[in-house]
Every structure is written in C-alpha cells, then in structure tokens.
Amino acid sequence: MKYVPDATADRQFESDNTVDRVGVDGLLSELDEYAVEQALQLREKREGEEIEITALTVGPEKAVDAIRKALQMGADKGVHVVDDAIAGSDSVATSLVLAKAIEKISAEKKVDLVMSGMASTDASMSVVPAMLAERLDLPQVTFASVVESQGEVFRVRRDGDSATEIIEGRLPMVLSVTDQTGEARYPSFKGIMAAKKKPLETWSLSDIGVEADQVGLSASWTAVEGTEARPPRTQGEIVTDEDGSGAKALVDFLASKKFI
Ligand SMILES: Cc1cc2nc3c(=O)[nH]c(=O)nc-3n(C[C@H](O)[C@H](O)[C@H](O)COP(=O)(O)OP(=O)(O)OC[C@H]3O[C@@H](n4cnc5c(N)ncnc54)[C@H](O)[C@@H]3O)c2cc1C
C-alpha cells in the first residue's frame, strides 16, 4: 500500500520534476484502504485459519504513516522499505523493491496472497500489481469488484464498461481490488491503541538485496520531462436573453465548441 501526497494539500515538484514527497502532508492512498479492508474481511470470514496480514510500503520516512493506518485498521505487522536511493523510482523500479520485500517476508512466512489497490491516487498507473505478478511469477487478477474465497480458490468479479467477467484463480496470487469491494472501516479507538504495540520493521535496500543503481531516477525507464500548472479557470460567457436571441446564441456557442 502506498503513501501518497494529500490531494487537498499544496503539492509541489522538485527541480528535477520529481514529486516532492517529503515537504507535503501525505496519507495512505484511499484506494489502498479497500485492499486493507478486503484482507481484513477475508481473515474474518476464514475464522480458525492462521492468517497474518502484513502491510508493506515503499516510500520516504513519513510513509510509515500509511502503515500505521493499516495497523490501526487491523493489519498484524508492518514493513517499511525506505532508502534515499529509491527516490524518483518509476513503476518498474518500485515493483522491483516491492517484489524483493515480498520475497523476504515470504522467506519467514509464506505469502499466499499479495493484495493491492487498483491504482495509487497520485500516479494512477495501475501497473504495479501486474509487474509484481510477473516478478514473483504468480497469477494475477486485477480490478476485482467482488472477492470470494474458498480454500485455495478465489472467485473474483471484474466489471468492465460493457461486460462483467467472473474469474477463478488459485493461491498463491496477486489481486488488486477496486473501490466497489466495500467501504473501508475507520480505525476504532481500541484499534488505534493496539496498533502502537504491533511489530513494524524498517528495511533498507541492502536488507532486501537490491543495489542502489537498480532503482531511483537514473535506473528508471520513465521520467517526467516537465510539468505545467493547469491555467486558472476563466470566467464563463454569460448569454443574456433580452430580445429572444438567447437560444440561438447558446446553440451557436455549443456548435462552435463542437458539442452539438
Ligand atoms: C520513494 C518513492 C519516490 C518516488 N519518487 C517519484 C518521483 O520522484 N517522480 C515520480 O514521477 N514518481 C515517483 N514515485 C512514484 C513511482 O513512480 C510510483 O510509485 C510508481 O510509478 C508506481 O506507480 P503508481 O503509484 O501509479 O502505482 P499503481 O500501479 O497505480 O499502483 C497500484 C497499487 O500498487 C501498490 N503500490 C504502488 N506503489 C507502491 C508503493 N510505493 N508501496 C506500496 N505499494 C505500492 C498500491 O497498492 C497501489 O494501489 C516515487 C515512489 C516512491 C515509493
């Protein structure tokens, strides 16, 4: 799950066109809250099984806040990968770090299900889950709007623009979920207090066996070349219908914009 700049805050870019992720307030990407919620619901439905939920994030120091939120919601432990060399990484590099971290988590306790949001609310690439599946050599189902599980089998509904698909997959797998899966819970006071005692590990690149030159802006396949603020809205044109010509003026305006 990803820590993203708060969309309501004043967001800035650095001089190299990278997003300023340090000087701005951030939060757990809203779409990732649905993934946390689904993981918690899954565990609740499969009572009696030993299911551990690890919240993993890759991001700067403050990204730990995203993990804290997931722990407050009910996740069991947190892993934060933080290293100066990661700054500026694109999706390809980010997915490498995430995959290596998941492999390390799995070495201690096998990871059966990697769950993520459908997209981050900042970059919205929607590609990290697919890249993770490729790197981890796992099957993937993305954009799930309903998730049901029975044993190793997962039945997932995917709603497209013109059709709905029902897909079945087997664990281990990568699954990304949409905001249709159900409202994410708010952390309770009990959850907030309990989260303070939950294990939270901080790993650097060397902990997960990634070299600094495999990540960061220089190792990324894509980089932002330039950014421009959207021009402020200009005042709209007001048509005053004084002599009955208002309707025609409106039609002419819409036609000039090719709306009709
Ligand atoms: C430390 C850091 C510095 C960055 N610096 C820059 C920068 O300078 N310029 C720039 O353009 N981009 C930067 N990025 C953004 C980076 O390019 C994106 O994280 C990457 O492209 C993934 O794309 P996305 O966020 O659109 O993910 P999507 O593909 O939209 O994400 C889908 C899902 O994957 C998971 N996911 C994605 N990223 C992470 C993550 N980091 N940790 C945990 N889960 C994740 C989430 O569940 C998310 O909902 C940085 C990212 C990090 C972590």
Side-chain angles (χ1 to χ4, degrees):
M1 12 154 293
K2 190 174 175 189
Y3 177 79
V4 297
D6 186 346
T8 60
D10 188 19
R11 289 166 291 169
Q12 303 290 341
F13 291 92
E14 306 272 12
S15 55
D16 60 359
N17 291 318
T18 60
V19 177
D20 174 9
R21 286 169 194 274
V22 178
V24 69
D25 286 337
L27 71 180
L28 168 59
S29 178
E30 199 191 349
L31 285 168
D32 285 351
E33 289 187 10
Y34 294 93
V36 178
E37 178 60 38
Q38 281 308 300
L40 295 170
Q41 284 192 24
L42 190 69
R43 184 173 57 190
E44 283 157 12
K45 283 181 200 143
R46 299 177 69 143
E47 206 179 286
E49 288 180 50
E50 207 191 300
I51 296 177
E52 188 174 78
I53 302 170
T54 303
L56 164 67
T57 200
V58 176
E61 301 281 339
K62 289 188 343 183
V64 73
D65 286 353
I67 298 182
R68 289 217 176 92
K69 175 85 186 271
L71 295 177
Q72 290 170 356
M73 288 172 74
D76 301 298
K77 61 184 252 197
V79 171
H80 179 197
V81 184
V82 52
D83 199 303
D84 286 347
I86 298 172
S89 299
D90 65 356
S91 333
V92 183
T94 302
S95 69
L96 172 70
V97 179
L98 284 167
K100 289 290 185 184
I102 292 166
E103 280 170 7
K104 183 170 159 74
I105 295 167
S106 208
E108 275 175 38
K109 192 165 189 185
K110 188 166 167 283
V111 174
D112 289 313
L113 182 62
V114 176
M115 258 187 162
S116 78
M118 60 183 261
S120 70
T121 52
D122 58 348
S124 348
M125 302 278 280
S126 292
V127 295
V128 166
M131 289 179 176
L132 277 179
E134 174 67 18
R135 289 191 185 279
L136 298 167
D137 197 19
L138 293 178
Q140 52 149 332
V141 184
T142 52
F143 294 97
S145 51
V146 178
V147 180
E148 289 164 4
S149 76
Q150 203 166 33
E152 303 269 285
V153 178
F154 271 64
R155 216 175 141 78
V156 168
R157 199 174 100 188
R158 244 174 151 255
D159 291 316
D161 286 340
S162 55
T164 291
E165 294 171 331
I166 307 290
I167 300 180
E168 249 180 35
R170 260 175 197 284
L171 295 179
M173 68 191 282
V174 175
L175 180 64
S176 82
V177 303
T178 74
D179 53 353
Q180 301 300 305
T181 44
E183 276 308 301
R185 68 194 65 187
Y186 286 105
S188 62
F189 179 69
K190 203 172 140 206
I192 293 169
M193 296 314 285
K196 293 181 200 271
K197 295 190 189 124
K198 291 181 179 174
L200 202 165
E201 292 184 31
T202 307
W203 295 345
S204 65
L205 285 180
S206 61
D207 292 319
I208 53 172
V210 174
E211 300 295 331
D213 61 5
Q214 291 178 279
V215 294
L217 206 52
S218 55
S220 288
W221 293 20
T222 56
V224 178
E225 296 258 288
T227 56
E228 223 173 89
R230 196 180 293 160
R233 276 180 171 223
T234 49
Q235 204 189 348
E237 197 178 317
I238 296 172
V239 175
T240 313
D241 191 10
E242 279 164 356
D243 55 3
S245 63
K248 183 169 182 319
L250 270 178
V251 170
D252 288 347
F253 173 79
L254 292 173
S256 74
K257 299 283 177 200
K258 297 198 169 26
F259 290 139
I260 54 172

